[in-house]
Amino acid sequence: MVRLVLVLGDQLTPDIAALAEADRASDVVVMAEVASEAGYVPHHPKKIAFVFAAMRKFAAGLEQDGWRVAYTRLDDPDNAGSIPGEILRRAEEFGAGEVLATEPGEWRLISALEDMPLPVHLFEDRRFIATHAEFEAWAEGRKALRMEYFYREMRRKTGLLMEDGAPSGGKWNYDAENRKPAPDEVTASGPMEFTPDAEVDAVLDLVEARFGDNFGTLRPFWFATDRGQARRHLAHWVKTGLPGFGDFQDAMVRDEPFLWHAVLGLYLNAGLLDPLEVCRAAQDAWEAGEAPLNAVEGFIRQIIGWREYVRGIYFLEGPDYTRRNALGHDRPLPAMFWGAETGMECIRQTVAQTEAHAYAHHIQRLMVTGNFGLLAGIDPHALHEWYLAVYADAYEWVEAPNVIGMSQFADAGVIASKPYVSSGNYIAKMSDYCGDCRYKVRDKTGPDACPFNLLYWHFLDRHRDRFEGNPRLGNIYRTWDRMDEAKRETVLSEARAFLDRLDEGAAV
Ligand code: FAD
Ligand code: DLZ
Ligand code: SF4
């Protein structure tokens, strides 16, 4: 009997579980560009174009390898509009009685597949280092699920940067040498850019016609769209970006969106690159003396530590995770997140480059937009949907733990031991944004006070009951309490006035 083999837009890996279980002589691969996936949040046009172009090229590669592929384009008149709809249509067309699928990275699609009226065999996604069972076993009985300990397990499992059972260089973590402030000169050359070929161009036209009104600039489009290009980008970055990766990992520089960052998340998450191949390329560079250990360890930790850890949390915590709201925040997302005018230069820079490239680096996501969202009490679900829409590397399994957990503390501390909040000082130290801002980062109150300075205390004050006892925040509450009472009242009333302006939809 014919079986259908489902390959989703972020499963573009030749030996993905469902393909590995299938028989190319008799089974039919189903791939579909569908309105439901392209529209469940208003994805950035560059992200949609990347997914569709990479899907088309991957399907062509499968056909060359002898697979029968039933590929549906978005504008096919028979397009059923959803993944379940396409499966049913193709099952009827080919007389198929069952489906082989690799577990999707989102509860929404997992339950849609489980509810299908024909048998769907879901295979665990093997592109990750930790299996679900391994993560569950690690988490079992622990009071706190801290990434650092999980990361050490992953080092031992993969053997990356390990010598005779001990970490290379004698330390597990070289972060103390990383995270320097913004440099005077940016010497990294940025990601490798690829000129669209005719096939990619056709996708761009389609995306422009159908999703041109979504937030985000489609052209120039420069992403890699197949494995060969993604590997060339990786090799380029290992040479030009990796050596400076650790030092300037947290720095932010005006009009420099990429700095030394890898811009690999979108390729890893779609399946064009494998996490171990990427880590081995970094390790090889260290062994060849081409990159320092602090950079290579820091990078490998992001991939086999953070990336695996957040995935483990997503599946451990269950389908309600994106609805968590431990702090009861309910303010709507401000228009400046969609590009509306703002005097806050750090937000303007971060949103403008997000609009242009569907990219912002970690510290911009965490300490600029995320920090603002948390301090201002923005609804975490609205922020979750925003992050899911605007970044080319965003899929729920990786985005939600970062937003709901790490950035918004909406999971009540499953991921973060304290909320990632800061006043304007942190942004001033790590970036050159403040010099060009309508606000003054040194002003703690008054008409020009940096909004982060006001909102920081407002946040701590309104959540005092929850955070006062946190050992990492105790000193900060003591500083606040030592402040003159009149000054504290001025800070809080100016913060409230700022939030009122935000609620009125005024440009801030
Ligand atoms: P680099 O900074 O060069 O890091 C290398 C790689 O490490 C990344 O490509 C990524 O695969 C991995 N990595 C680093 N940090 C993390 C992390 N915290 N979680 C998972 N992987 C990590 N990452 C996504 O892949 N998709 C998302 O939707 C996403 N949303 C985020 C939302 C918020 C609020 C925050 C704070 C972080 C988010 N991250 C997300 C994590 C991180 O910011 C991105 O992986 C990174 O910025 C991607 O850029 P890069 O490839 O240049 O990464
Ligand atoms: C992100 C995305 C988009 C924009 N479009 C499609 C699509 O048309 N067809 C498809 O199979 N996958 C798409 N994807 C990726 C899915 O949304 C992704 O598989 C789920 O979010 C699970 O991670
Ligand atoms: Fe951002 Fe405040 Fe600096 Fe302006 S002064 S760029 S709002 S941190």
Side-chain angles (χ1 to χ4, degrees):
M1 197 215 338
V2 175
R3 299 176 302 179
L4 300 183
V5 187
L6 177 69
V7 176
L8 294 166
D10 56 351
Q11 298 181 339
L12 308 179
T13 310
D15 61 353
I16 188 112
L19 284 170
E21 299 288 336
D23 180 352
R24 80 184 73 189
S26 55
D27 295 335
V28 178
V29 176
V30 172
M31 294 182 71
E33 300 166 8
V34 287
S36 62
E37 292 309 307
Y40 65 90
V41 287
H43 298 287
H44 193 297
K46 268 199 171 77
K47 175 182 182 185
I48 303 176
F50 165 65
V51 173
F52 286 3
M55 283 175 71
R56 290 184 185 190
K57 291 189 176 184
F58 184 77
L62 287 181
E63 276 171 346
Q64 272 168 17
D65 285 348
W67 290 94
R68 188 148 56 128
V69 182
Y71 191 96
T72 308
R73 294 185 170 208
L74 190 74
D75 51 4
D76 278 351
D78 295 334
N79 192 322
S82 71
I83 296 295
E86 276 296 294
I87 291 174
L88 291 178
R89 185 170 78 86
R90 294 303 192 181
E92 199 177 317
E93 179 181 345
F94 294 101
E98 54 190 81
V99 182
L100 308 183
T102 310
E103 181 182 73
E106 204 171 318
W107 289 110
R108 175 184 61 87
L109 266 183
I110 294 175
S111 62
L113 292 181
E114 284 171 349
D115 292 347
M116 294 287 298
L118 75 172
V120 178
H121 304 281
L122 274 185
F123 299 102
E124 186 163 342
D125 194 338
R126 298 168 198 152
R127 296 174 298 171
F128 294 89
I129 292 148
T131 62
H132 292 326
E134 283 169 334
F135 192 84
E136 283 159 19
W138 174 77
E140 178 79 39
R142 278 175 197 263
K143 253 175 76 192
L145 302 180
R146 295 295 162 244
M147 195 286 298
E148 184 64 27
Y149 298 109
F150 170 74
Y151 163 57
R152 293 179 191 178
E153 296 290 313
M154 295 298 99
R155 287 274 292 278
R156 290 192 186 96
K157 180 170 182 187
T158 58
L160 285 162
L161 298 182
M162 296 295 289
E163 286 158 42
D164 300 328
S168 300
K171 283 199 294 186
W172 290 103
N173 184 317
Y174 289 84
D175 244 7
E177 295 168 35
N178 292 340
R179 306 175 188 281
K180 300 186 173 64
D184 293 335
E185 196 193 349
V186 176
T187 52
S189 55
M192 187 169 251
E193 299 188 355
F194 298 88
T195 308
D197 56 23
E199 208 172 355
V200 176
D201 236 357
V203 170
L204 296 181
D205 289 343
L206 172 77
V207 171
E208 187 155 42
R210 292 284 292 266
F211 307 100
D213 290 341
N214 287 12
F215 169 81
T217 312
L218 179 61
R219 289 183 166 97
F221 181 89
W222 50 268
F223 293 155
T225 47
D226 61 36
R227 185 167 294 269
Q229 289 181 340
R231 283 186 171 150
R232 279 168 56 204
H233 163 70
L234 169 65
H236 165 79
W237 174 77
V238 166
K239 270 203 163 43
T240 59
L242 177 60
F245 176 81
D247 286 359
F248 301 115
Q249 213 175 318
D250 288 4
M252 299 175 277
V253 180
R254 221 179 297 150
D255 302 325
E256 291 283 357
F258 308 110
L259 300 168
W260 286 264
H261 289 274
V263 196
L264 280 171
L266 77 166
Y267 306 134
L268 282 165
N269 298 348
L272 299 187
L273 292 174
D274 175 75
L276 276 180
E277 103 179 276
V278 164
C279 291
R280 288 197 185 110
Q283 178 172 265
D284 290 349
W286 172 62
E287 284 170 350
E290 290 162 3
L293 187 54
N294 67 309
V296 172
E297 186 281 316
F299 176 71
I300 287 177
R301 175 159 25 91
Q302 307 309 312
I303 309 271
I304 68 169
W306 280 110
R307 185 170 184 271
E308 294 285 328
Y309 165 83
V310 298
R311 177 174 185 265
I313 297 283
Y314 179 75
F315 283 104
L316 195 68
E317 289 295 309
D320 77 329
Y321 191 74
T322 64
R323 290 283 169 192
R324 305 241 179 121
N325 189 356
L327 302 181
H329 286 170
D330 58 4
R331 189 159 267 115
L333 196 68
M336 64 186 175
F337 275 63
W338 299 112
E341 192 195 331
T342 172
M344 300 177 72
E345 183 62 10
C346 51
I347 301 266
R348 199 191 68 74
Q349 283 277 336
T350 302
V351 172
Q353 70 164 72
T354 299
E355 185 167 20
H357 302 294
Y359 180 85
H361 73 63
H362 188 69
I363 292 303
Q364 295 173 306
R365 298 187 205 197
L366 186 65
M367 299 311 292
V368 178
T369 43
N371 188 16
F372 183 84
L374 181 54
L375 294 179
I378 309 294
D379 171 9
H381 192 76
L383 280 160
H384 149 69
E385 292 197 325
W386 181 78
Y387 280 99
L388 192 55
V390 302
Y391 292 113
D393 54 32
Y395 301 91
E396 200 173 280
W397 66 267
V398 55
E399 171 274 333
N402 273 297
V403 175
I404 297 290
M406 188 189 301
S407 158
Q408 298 303 302
F409 207 82
D411 65 0
V414 174
I415 291 189
S417 54
K418 73 168 193 50
Y420 277 96
V421 283
S422 80
S423 67
N425 278 347
Y426 176 84
I427 295 170
K429 185 173 131 213
M430 299 310 295
S431 80
D432 64 357
Y433 294 156
C434 299
D436 256 17
C437 187
R438 169 247 175 279
Y439 299 100
K440 294 200 175 76
V441 75
R442 290 222 179 95
D443 288 9
K444 310 295 179 214
T445 55
D448 295 332
C450 164
F452 283 97
N453 293 345
L454 300 170
L455 295 177
Y456 177 69
W457 294 119
H458 189 270
F459 171 87
L460 289 169
D461 185 67
R462 73 179 188 266
H463 292 300
R464 183 163 200 139
D465 286 352
R466 180 179 285 270
F467 294 125
E468 192 175 19
N470 184 314
R472 297 177 65 195
L473 294 175
N475 276 341
I476 298 172
Y477 277 102
R478 279 189 282 283
T479 306
W480 175 238
D481 291 342
R482 275 197 302 271
M483 239 183 253
D484 178 71
E485 195 179 336
K487 168 113 186 261
R488 271 186 281 153
E489 192 33 55
T490 308
V491 170
L492 293 180
S493 70
E494 289 186 10
R496 282 192 295 270
F498 178 86
L499 292 172
D500 286 346
R501 287 204 301 283
L502 206 61
D503 291 342
E504 286 157 13
V508 291

